[in-house]
Amino acid sequence: MSGPWAALINGTAAHALDFDDNFAPAFTHATAVLAPALLSLVNDRKVGGTALIDAFIVGLELQGRIGRLMQPAHYARGWHSTSTIGAIGTAGACARLLGATPDQVLAAMSAASSMAAGSKLQFGSMMKPIHAGLAAKNAVLAARFAMAGISANDDPLAGDWGFAALTGAGDIGAEVMIDSLGETLEIETSGLLAKRFPCCGAIHRSVDALELLRREPGFLLEAVERIETSLPEMARRNLRFDSPADELEARFSGTYCMARMLADGGLELKHFTPESVRDERIAAWLPRIRLIAYDNALMVDGANFQATTRVYLKDGGVMEAAVSHPKGSPENPLNEDDLLAKFQTCCAWSGHAAAAEPLFKLARALGAAIDVGEVMAGVERTLRSQ
Amino acid sequence: MSGPWAALINGTAAHALDFDDNFAPAFTHATAVLAPALLSLVNDRKVGGTALIDAFIVGLELQGRIGRLMQPAHYARGWHSTSTIGAIGTAGACARLLGATPDQVLAAMSAASSMAAGSKLQFGSMMKPIHAGLAAKNAVLAARFAMAGISANDDPLAGDWGFAALTGAGDIGAEVMIDSLGETLEIETSGLLAKRFPCCGAIHRSVDALELLRREPGFLLEAVERIETSLPEMARRNLRFDSPADELEARFSGTYCMARMLADGGLELKHFTPESVRDERIAAWLPRIRLIAYDNALMVDGANFQATTRVYLKDGGVMEAAVSHPKGSPENPLNEDDLLAKFQTCCAWSGHAAAAEPLFKLARALGAAIDVGEVMAGVERTLRSQ
């Protein structure tokens, strides 16, 4: 399969469960675009692990810098940044991995800006994960264009008619894209957020807070009257389905996610199936859970925010917890055991439980690989041998 | 070659000379997207000429309806409608040709809205024609997604977070999309504009007016001091290069196009080569030609406008001509001989002069074909036999 199609399929697969990482400065699912795009380039030629990681870090940096230029306005307006900023930043990363000159990196990003689209209206449909696949495909295609000498405008992001202005981010000074460039790296300062729940990140803090309350001594499900959680309007709007019709909508249903944690004490892959969403126990809770939006201006650091969950008890009592950094965020990270456990869950979900540990080891050793293509061939062998 | 890639290459080729038709209601190069996309679908299965023409008309209708929703705001903001509206309308046409249900046509258009991008900043670079290719590719891909059962938001254009709002066309009532639907057809009421010159359509009226003045009895090139042409700000902005560096920029240079008509009495394919753009006779005229922008609000019918060209003579005299409908527009059409002559010129340009007449006949008979794929095979045989 040619590179762009492999990137489309693997990018879609990487994002299909909405269980992949978040990258705050860009408001993107950074890795779901970067990894499939970069890995699609290792088959034709020998690529070392160091070069792969280097390109990944460059891609994260580019996504972050573009995010600093355009966010949160771009995302708040309705654009799905993963498919827009994700494509543009990843195109630069792909060009880097292909040995591009700086001009070619810029041409790749410019070409990608001509392919970057996708509304958050698609949240809750199959197009949502496909957005990550399209971004990965477009990044590969744009990098190939640049390496083939296709000319493109050399100032595609800032300024009039630039991508930022076109997509509602306004006429922001482009200096944020180069301030302290090379001194600090997004991978160190911002890092990535590994999700603990396979659903929209906008509800994770609320669910974490509910979990805290649920673990309080003496907590009784029978005593709960109703629940409220407050979160910024931007997050509220992502959670579009208060009465989800299927598992796609359930991933973007704050009420559903909260009801699951309340009733079952967890939020797992098995809760996002057609049958699971029809669960009458859960449906009964939906009208008793309310999401309250507060002004986006009260968010901190652009992307980050606090969610406050209140449990109203039948006896008139109220329990309250607030969470700013969900479990999995750089400030509150998953440890190595947590990550392995998540990986095992995903492998089991896809029917490859026995492959989890050997694949995890292969992934962990990727940076030291002499030939990433050989590692990927090893991944394929491991999966086939199960 | 798979359908999407064939559509990408042929769409790019169709638009590479900027000699393909304009479609006023959508502000698109409609055929450069529609024809390559639809023709990429005739290889796998038998498609009759009637079905092909039907899908083309539907695609034109969809582009026009979306244009009525979003234009001229979308184009004025900086979006290259050919790659945005072109992709969405053409996706619906492709779905139609593939035998889609109405829901699938809508899903195809919704999926295409997640792929529709492209700024007019790319005018003057190789990305400009590639935009038509990308739109054709995206339309085919989106239609294939829909036929494969990929779900997508069922209200992707109007409303909050809809494509119109996201891309600056505002919150316009969607009723313009269905008013009198099926009663009148865009192909009849608006028609297509066949270009007479291989350059940005924004300068055609000005060049036509200059040609009129140049044919006045007693006109002498030596007597000309300078030239002005007035056109709407939207058209002026498309003509981005007053001193074009290469043939790509020359296609979007009003001064260059006017200088050519002034000095040589014509504007032909041979004038858009690297050597031609360096012609010193023409360069000397560039600073003596001025484009004056007037308020877009003075445009009529959305897309149409009047250009007024004034020739200032050294003796103080002034000649003036105004053109509203350039030669090639539905109101001032090319006749059959003109079209054949244009086709012959293009065939000769691509090294296939002898194929022009047989290919023209094949194209003219396309609507009556029992199997379009066979006609296309005939095109290939004709080209190979030269």
Side-chain angles (χ1 to χ4, degrees), chain B residues 38-45 47 52 97 371-373 376:
Chain B
L38 294 173
L39 287 174
S40 80
L41 302 176
V42 306
N43 292 321
D44 305 342
R45 40 198 280 289
V47 170
L52 181 77
L97 192 62
D371 183 345
V372 173
M376 296 314 291

Side-chain angles (χ1 to χ4, degrees), chain B residues 57-333:
Chain B
I57 291 172
V58 165
L60 207 62
E61 195 68 22
L62 291 172
Q63 288 192 30
R65 294 286 169 163
I66 302 167
R68 288 180 196 284
L69 178 71
M70 295 172 53
Q71 299 292 23
H74 178 73
Y75 192 75
R77 191 180 174 95
W79 292 97
H80 185 197
S81 322
T82 296
S83 52
T84 56
I85 295 174
I88 301 172
T90 302
C94 289
R96 167 91 166 190
L97 192 62
L98 291 170
T101 63
D103 280 350
Q104 286 171 320
V105 170
L106 179 56
M109 292 172 68
S110 179
S113 76
S114 284
M115 310 180 198
S119 167
K120 289 195 286 180
L121 268 185
Q122 302 290 15
F123 286 13
S125 82
M126 291 189 207
M127 283 306 295
K128 205 269 184 174
I130 288 176
H131 279 179
L134 289 170
K137 171 187 74 69
N138 291 335
V140 172
L141 194 57
R144 294 290 189 192
F145 279 179
M147 300 308 284
I150 301 289
S151 67
N153 185 278
D154 63 5
D155 191 12
L157 300 179
D160 208 17
W161 284 5
F163 195 73
L166 278 188
T167 59
D171 191 9
I172 297 163
E175 60 276 7
V176 297
M177 297 211 38
I178 51 168
D179 275 354
S180 71
L181 192 66
E183 292 169 29
T184 57
L185 289 172
E186 294 284 12
I187 188 104
E188 297 170 309
T189 53
S190 300
L192 290 161
L193 183 153
K195 281 186 173 179
R196 194 159 65 107
F197 310 121
C199 61
C200 181
I203 197 67
H204 283 215
R205 292 163 184 80
S206 299
V207 176
D208 275 7
L210 180 58
E211 188 181 34
L212 291 174
L213 298 176
R214 209 178 170 283
R215 286 180 181 168
E216 293 273 314
F219 177 91
L220 275 175
L221 182 59
E222 295 73 31
V224 175
E225 175 69 36
R226 61 188 179 87
I227 291 177
E228 281 181 3
T229 189
S230 66
L231 64 186
E233 193 250 348
M234 196 190 294
R236 173 67 180 103
R237 290 203 63 199
N238 282 2
L239 303 159
R240 306 180 61 224
F241 306 98
D242 288 344
S243 300
D246 58 30
E247 73 279 16
L248 293 164
E249 294 187 359
R251 291 203 147 83
F252 298 90
S253 171
T255 53
Y256 181 81
C257 294
M258 296 289 278
R260 271 291 168 200
M261 175 54 78
L262 179 70
D264 297 335
L267 193 52
E268 301 173 36
L269 285 172
K270 68 181 178 192
H271 296 137
F272 296 94
T273 66
E275 300 71 38
S276 211
V277 174
R278 286 195 295 268
D279 185 334
E280 288 181 11
R281 276 185 318 120
I282 300 300
W285 276 109
L286 299 182
R288 296 159 71 180
I289 297 168
R290 223 178 113 214
L291 278 64
I292 299 168
Y294 64 75
D295 195 317
N296 289 335
L298 298 173
M299 293 174 71
V300 290
D301 299 336
N304 200 27
F305 63 88
Q306 178 175 289
T308 306
T309 296
R310 282 186 199 84
V311 175
Y312 293 87
L313 303 173
K314 287 175 180 165
D315 66 5
V318 183
M319 304 169 74
E320 177 177 314
V323 168
S324 295
H325 300 292
K327 186 72 183 165
S329 64
E331 297 82 357
N332 187 11

Side-chain angles (χ1 to χ4, degrees), chain A residues 5 77-79 110 114 116-117 119-122 125-127 131 137 151-153 155 160-161 165-166 237, chain B residues 5 77-79 110 114 116-117 119-122 125-127 130-131 137 151-153 155 160-161 165-166 237:
Chain A
W5 295 138
R77 192 180 173 94
W79 291 98
S110 179
S114 284
S119 167
K120 289 195 286 180
L121 268 185
Q122 303 290 15
S125 82
M126 292 189 207
M127 283 306 294
H131 280 179
K137 171 187 74 70
S151 67
N153 185 278
D155 191 12
D160 208 18
W161 284 5
L166 277 188
R237 291 203 64 199
Chain B
W5 295 139
R77 191 180 174 95
W79 292 97
S110 179
S114 284
S119 167
K120 289 195 286 180
L121 268 185
Q122 302 290 15
S125 82
M126 291 189 207
M127 283 306 295
I130 288 176
H131 279 179
K137 171 187 74 69
S151 67
N153 185 278
D155 191 12
D160 208 17
W161 284 5
L166 278 188
R237 290 203 63 199

